[in-house]
Amino acid sequence: MVPDVSAGSDTRGLIAYLFGPGRRDEHTDPHIVAAWDMAGDPGRDPTATYSQLARRLDHHVDLRTRELGGKKPTQHVWHCPVRTAPGDRYLTDAEWAEVARRVVAVTGIAPEGDEKACRRIAVRHADDHIHIMATTVRADGRRPRTHRDGQRAQAECRKIEIEFGLRRLKSGDLTAPPTPTGAERAKAERQGWQITPRQWLREQAYAVAAAVRTEADYFTVLDCLGIKVKTRIGPATGDVIGYSLAAPGDTNAAGEPVWYGASKLAPDLSINRLRERLTSQDVADRPRQAADPAQPWRRAASALHATHTALGSANDSIAQAHLAAFGDVLHNLALATHGQHRTELRAAAVAFDRARRSAIRADHQTATALQEAAKELAYASHTPGGLAVAVIFAALHLARAAAHWHTQRGHEQQAAAAEQALLHLQAGYEQAAAPVLAQLTRRAPRPQTADRFEATIRHTVPAQADRILTDPAWPALVTALARAESAGHRPRQLLAQAAAERELDTAEHPAQVLIWRIATQPSDRARATPRRAPVGVPTPVPSPAYPAATGVHVRPLG
């Protein structure tokens, strides 16, 4: 059961909507199921027009505001639709009346036994929801105490779900992004868009913020993607203090762009929250050494491993910062990989956007290593073979850890989002890993080499040796060990390091775990002789993260 509290100033307009046909003719038999002490239901009068009903109810509902001298307070109309979840049973008018009574009581509109409470009505015009409206002026002329009314309504609806035998929804913490309105969904349906402009803009804004390094690049890339940007400038400083976005082709009846404030897309897309995650221009302009193309992937795997430690720390602000940076990793991981698994990785990134924030304030300065690793993935060239799969595998396990972390803290919506991202990552991993494992298996070395590595396994990880040797991926692990040995690694030392990263007891396929951990280790020769730029040749600096450079994915509206 979902309540959605808002405020306005047009009593008659809201009443006309409630008793009208609706925007898509979905209002059938609109009628009052609960009200303050007013006899009769104008919604049952078949001879009355919508305007007559509006005038009649407007007179009664807004009576207290007129008694103040004719001047209505600002935002004096309180509105709260309450909707059951899809698949819930039919509620009678009497049950909806009970829902309305409890919601207005807990939110402070009409506390139990308060004879001077606000005037209110609850209108039902469909099977699955009601609209509660009230004027926020009491009979004694005071305003009601509605602080945190939305959160209190949510908590009461969780209780009602249990008592009425309805589907139990996840509790929120007021950090969820605004959901598309009925009008936005109807417009998307008419236009043939796959998603609403609000959702589309949110996806694109997150993807761009993950890829760019500076605020200036952020706005430039949005503009290059065809997204209209409107900034708000502070009169004293001349700096940007806010911004709004509009999707291409999304206009109102007058042909003007439909703007969405950044914080109305998602709380952490506001200009202040965005600046906390982006580097300053001078940091972004510092030259970077030319690196091995595989280096960004290895750094990402290492940073993801470190994030497991951060999630286990006692400091929730540090953990929250790493989860926000992990969201950027997922977006850029989808950019940097190729193949059929890319669709699953994109879906995982979008799903995790809800899990990357909570009511805990993130200390972003503590997650700079993971933030930088995420940015490097946006510029990374595709690395075929096991290295990219190893990063996906590490991301999969971190998503599982994120779901557990949120669950421990009662963040139900975030935990559910992390679980959804985990499902997509699992599907993407299986698609990406299958051909790599098959290739490793086909190229397995001779039996004598396998026997030698079996002895190494039994000596290095004796407790897990039998499980590793009977794992279907054992032949692929033999090939991975042989290649690592050729690259300069000592197999016994390499296995000991891989096994020590995290325990193998709970791993369903321990041989696969070892393969991907081994894949992220650079060769000893490469560590001993790092590549250097020739003398006299300037070190290349990555180009700005414009669409052509980053490959920021644009999911079409239509």
Side-chain angles (χ1 to χ4, degrees), residues 222-415:
L222 288 172
D223 182 68
C224 290
L225 293 176
I227 297 173
K228 296 179 176 63
V229 180
K230 180 171 63 176
T231 56
R232 191 168 69 255
I233 307 299
T237 63
D239 295 333
V240 176
I241 60 174
Y243 70 99
S244 300
L245 304 179
D250 184 26
T251 58
N252 59 21
E256 301 168 337
V258 178
W259 295 100
Y260 294 89
S263 61
K264 298 301 182 183
L265 295 176
D268 53 343
L269 288 175
S270 70
I271 191 65
N272 290 332
R273 299 290 82 79
L274 195 66
R275 284 170 177 160
E276 292 175 356
R277 296 194 289 126
L278 295 178
T279 57
S280 61
Q281 185 64 55
D282 65 317
V283 172
D285 287 343
R286 290 176 188 171
R288 293 176 174 80
Q289 293 293 327
D292 178 356
Q295 193 62 24
W297 298 93
R298 292 196 175 101
R299 285 178 178 167
S302 176
L304 290 173
H305 172 63
T307 299
H308 273 277
T309 304
L311 291 182
S313 72
N315 192 316
D316 283 356
S317 295
I318 293 176
Q320 186 63 64
H322 280 79
L323 291 179
F326 179 48
D328 288 350
V329 171
L330 291 179
H331 278 285
N332 292 340
L333 183 58
L335 297 178
T337 58
H338 300 282
Q340 61 177 347
H341 58 279
R342 196 177 195 185
T343 299
E344 294 290 352
L345 298 185
R346 286 171 178 158
V350 172
F352 197 82
D353 284 337
R354 178 64 188 101
R356 64 189 293 158
R357 63 183 175 277
S358 70
I360 299 171
R361 186 67 177 271
D363 182 4
H364 293 287
Q365 297 302 315
T366 63
T368 53
L370 187 59
Q371 290 169 355
E372 184 59 25
K375 302 301 181 187
E376 288 186 1
L377 277 180
Y379 298 90
S381 59
H382 175 58
T383 301
L387 193 51
V389 181
V391 176
I392 298 173
F393 188 72
L396 185 158
H397 285 279
L398 187 53
R400 182 180 288 112
H404 180 67
W405 187 86
H406 279 305
T407 299
Q408 286 183 318
R409 285 150 185 80
H411 303 164
E412 295 185 6
Q413 292 183 358
Q414 291 89 336

Side-chain angles (χ1 to χ4, degrees), residues 509-534:
H509 300 290
Q512 289 189 35
V513 174
L514 293 175
I515 289 170
W516 309 128
R517 292 179 185 176
I518 289 170
T520 60
Q521 298 296 322
S523 70
D524 287 348
R525 293 173 189 147
R527 279 193 289 244
T529 57
R531 295 176 58 188
R532 297 181 180 178

Side-chain angles (χ1 to χ4, degrees), residues 453-468 477 492 495-500 504 514:
F453 287 143
E454 177 180 345
T456 302
I457 290 286
R458 293 193 179 280
H459 180 273
T460 308
V461 281
Q464 300 296 328
D466 288 339
R467 295 181 63 233
I468 294 170
L477 177 57
R492 184 172 296 182
L495 278 170
Q497 292 173 346
L504 293 172
L514 293 175

